[in-house]
Amino acid sequence: MTATVTDHDNAYADLLGSDDAHWAFGHLPEIQQGEDPLAGVDTTVPAGLDPAGLAAYCLFLGDDALVMSHRLSEWCSNAPDLEDDIALANIALDLLGQARLLLSRAAAADPSVVPALPEGSPVPAEDALAFFREARDFRNVRLVEVPHGDFGHLVARLLLFATARLAAFERLTAHADPVLSAIAAKGVKELAYHRDYAARWFVTLAQGTDESRRRLLAGLTEVWPLQAELVATYDVAAETGVVLDEVLAAAGVDRPAVGPMSGHGHTEALSRMLAEMQVVARAHPLGTW
Amino acid sequence: MNAYAVAAAVTDPEMPMLTLEDLGVLRDVRAEGSEVVVTITPTYSGCPAMATMRDDLVHRLSEAGYAARVRVSLTPAWSSDWITERGRAALRAHGLSAPGPAPRHDGPVALNLLPTRRDATCPRCGSAQVELTSEFGPTACTALYRCTGCLEPFEHVKEH
Ligand SMILES: [Zn+2]
């Protein structure tokens, strides 16, 4: 029989018609301004604030969110059940949103932090910062970059991270930069949900079976040495300690008897993670997504 | 139709039963020279619907004959308290449970180790016998519930 073969022999072609607007990617919106998460926001740095200092601080806050978000997104389809899979994806999405705002804020405050890209590259500043910097230029703390372990490890790490970040963001709502204070005010509402989620799971696993408690404690012992750098960087040792003690008491768990991890900078894990995260963007510096 | 009415009728891409006005995302519509400037505020930092909202606003206003620009305002941060009564009714009519009052705090945000207590009722049968399945639902702004009366699962728009 002489089949009427469509152009690309594509059985779905008729379903789609000629309108490309249903694609999330590969469709060029007519309104290019739509991509910058700070589009339409006044990003003038207030007098009296050092733009380079503000940019460096926003980079650190943004990098922590970006790297933690990536680690959490690795849990997609791997969580113990569907509800937690969705919860972790939601938390990762909140943090990715914070990262986009903060990296954009850093770039607007001090454009010199943005890596140079080939002439004509359409890559926005936030993407240039996320995908075209080397590991040594990332400012994140080590807690967010170490590879994920089991669910007990995840709960311990998320509890430490969300507790410190929430305390820092509560304080940042009074920051002299109105953009950073606005990002923090939004973030506080999100991080409160993240911290409660991790804290409830922490207590549940600690008070659950011998096996769940054993694995939670193993995870906690593994991430605990990275807590000192976290709270020092966010300058929230006191606030964080109060909340953690409340969770540990409810869970019947003692602070692990392990000291802080020495050194600074990054572990090898960050380079490996970035290699995966950045490979597609780097292969196509002139690509439009 | 005036520009405000056009902008106010644009719907949320993820919860199309809500207009941007009813969701509380639409903050201001004003003429600036020959342009209409629409101010919106994001719900969640990572809300993937923002770009679509922006595009939809510009498209709909342009269809109505207005040259429009969208401005994003981050302060004050969006609150679920801004969802209008009409919006809450629309949520219930479409099987979603509307948020209660958003939490307020003067001091540090209190740790909450127990499941959030809400006066939610089942949008299908009206039963108050409902249980939380997860604080995180299929979109950033919803939690998952189950009615123990009629056994149907439903989404609750979170207090924020
Ligand atoms: Zn019911």
Side-chain angles (χ1 to χ4, degrees):
Chain A
M1 95 190 195
T2 50
T4 36
V5 177
T6 53
D7 285 356
H8 308 291
D9 210 4
N10 180 347
Y12 302 107
D14 285 348
L15 295 175
L16 301 178
S18 57
D19 179 12
D20 274 347
H22 50 85
W23 294 116
F25 303 98
H27 164 65
L28 251 188
E30 285 149 56
I31 308 125
Q32 295 290 349
Q33 64 159 22
E35 292 314 308
D36 179 356
L38 288 179
V41 174
D42 181 2
T43 53
T44 316
V45 177
L49 274 185
D50 166 36
L54 176 63
Y57 194 66
C58 289
L59 271 186
F60 135 66
L61 291 171
D63 285 347
D64 268 3
L66 176 64
V67 175
M68 187 69 178
S69 172
H70 193 84
R71 284 298 185 211
L72 284 168
S73 69
E74 291 173 344
W75 275 91
C76 222
S77 80
N78 291 309
D81 59 39
L82 185 60
E83 282 73 20
D84 291 292
D85 220 87
I86 294 169
L88 296 175
N90 267 287
I91 295 171
L93 184 63
D94 284 343
L95 291 173
L96 189 62
Q98 292 177 16
R100 293 189 60 193
L101 290 164
L102 287 159
L103 295 184
S104 298
R105 204 306 159 248
D110 181 4
S112 74
V113 299
V114 182
L117 287 176
E119 183 91 18
S121 168
V123 174
E126 50 165 326
D127 284 1
L129 284 165
F131 297 120
F132 292 87
R133 277 181 303 157
E134 305 295 331
R136 64 170 177 275
D137 297 324
F138 274 73
R139 314 271 180 129
N140 62 278
V141 297
R142 287 172 292 179
L143 175 76
V144 296
E145 73 192 30
V146 291
H148 66 76
D150 62 10
F151 192 69
H153 180 273
L154 165 88
V155 165
R157 164 153 65 175
L158 186 57
L159 176 66
L160 298 186
F161 177 72
T163 302
R165 192 166 172 94
L166 175 56
F169 271 44
E170 289 186 77
R171 192 188 297 159
L172 287 171
T173 56
H175 196 275
D177 175 36
V179 181
L180 179 53
S181 77
I183 295 170
K186 287 198 79 55
V188 163
K189 299 183 181 210
E190 296 158 2
L191 292 161
Y193 276 104
H194 305 175
R195 187 185 67 181
D196 283 350
Y197 171 83
R200 287 170 197 167
W201 262 121
F202 192 95
V203 175
T204 301
L205 295 179
Q207 303 285 328
T209 63
D210 289 347
E211 177 66 359
S212 73
R213 184 178 176 87
R214 182 188 69 73
R215 289 168 70 159
L216 175 74
L217 295 182
L220 181 65
T221 306
E222 200 173 323
V223 295
W224 192 263
L226 297 165
Q227 205 247 357
E229 179 189 56
L230 172 77
V231 295
T233 314
Y234 281 90
D235 190 21
V236 289
E239 302 94 313
T240 302
V242 172
V243 176
L244 286 183
D245 284 344
E246 196 182 333
V247 179
L248 293 172
V253 169
D254 294 327
R255 287 185 177 224
V258 286
M261 183 184 277
S262 59
H264 50 82
H266 293 298
T267 63
E268 242 182 79
L270 181 65
S271 306
R272 282 195 293 271
M273 194 204 92
L274 291 180
E276 185 187 303
M277 190 183 90
Q278 297 178 331
V279 61
V280 176
R282 286 190 179 226
H284 306 282
L286 298 175
T288 304
W289 308 98
Chain B
M1 217 174 2
N2 70 40
Y4 186 88
V6 176
V10 174
T11 53
D12 178 84
E14 288 185 341
M15 294 191 291
M17 74 293 288
L18 287 186
T19 64
L20 298 189
E21 183 187 39
D22 286 335
L23 183 57
V25 156
L26 185 67
R27 304 306 293 159
D28 187 48
V29 181
R30 66 177 62 199
E32 286 186 13
S34 60
E35 260 185 340
V36 169
V37 178
V38 181
T39 305
I40 58 174
T41 188
T43 51
Y44 284 67
S45 299
C47 178
M50 280 303 285
T52 309
M53 288 181 193
R54 256 188 302 230
D55 288 7
D56 288 350
L57 280 165
V58 172
H59 272 289
R60 296 286 289 281
L61 281 160
S62 132
E63 279 165 16
Y66 297 97
R69 190 155 55 85
V70 176
R71 181 180 289 156
V72 175
S73 166
L74 295 177
T75 3
W78 178 82
S79 164
S80 52
D81 289 347
W82 296 353
I83 300 177
T84 62
E85 273 313 315
R86 192 177 58 180
R88 289 161 196 269
L91 286 172
R92 286 189 285 266
H94 286 82
L96 278 87
S97 152
R104 312 215 166 275
H105 34 79
D106 295 325
V109 182
L111 179 71
N112 194 351
L113 285 173
L114 296 171
T116 314
R117 288 235 241 158
R118 297 184 173 99
D119 290 327
T121 52
C122 171
R124 184 174 171 273
C125 74
S127 167
Q129 304 302 310
V130 298
E131 61 185 26
L132 178 69
T133 318
S134 173
E135 278 293 353
F136 297 89
T139 70
C141 52
T142 59
L144 287 174
Y145 270 80
R146 180 169 44 214
C147 172
T148 53
C150 71
L151 302 180
E152 284 292 331
F154 64 91
E155 287 174 62
H156 173 83
V157 177
K158 279 194 278 194
E159 296 72 23
H160 193 72

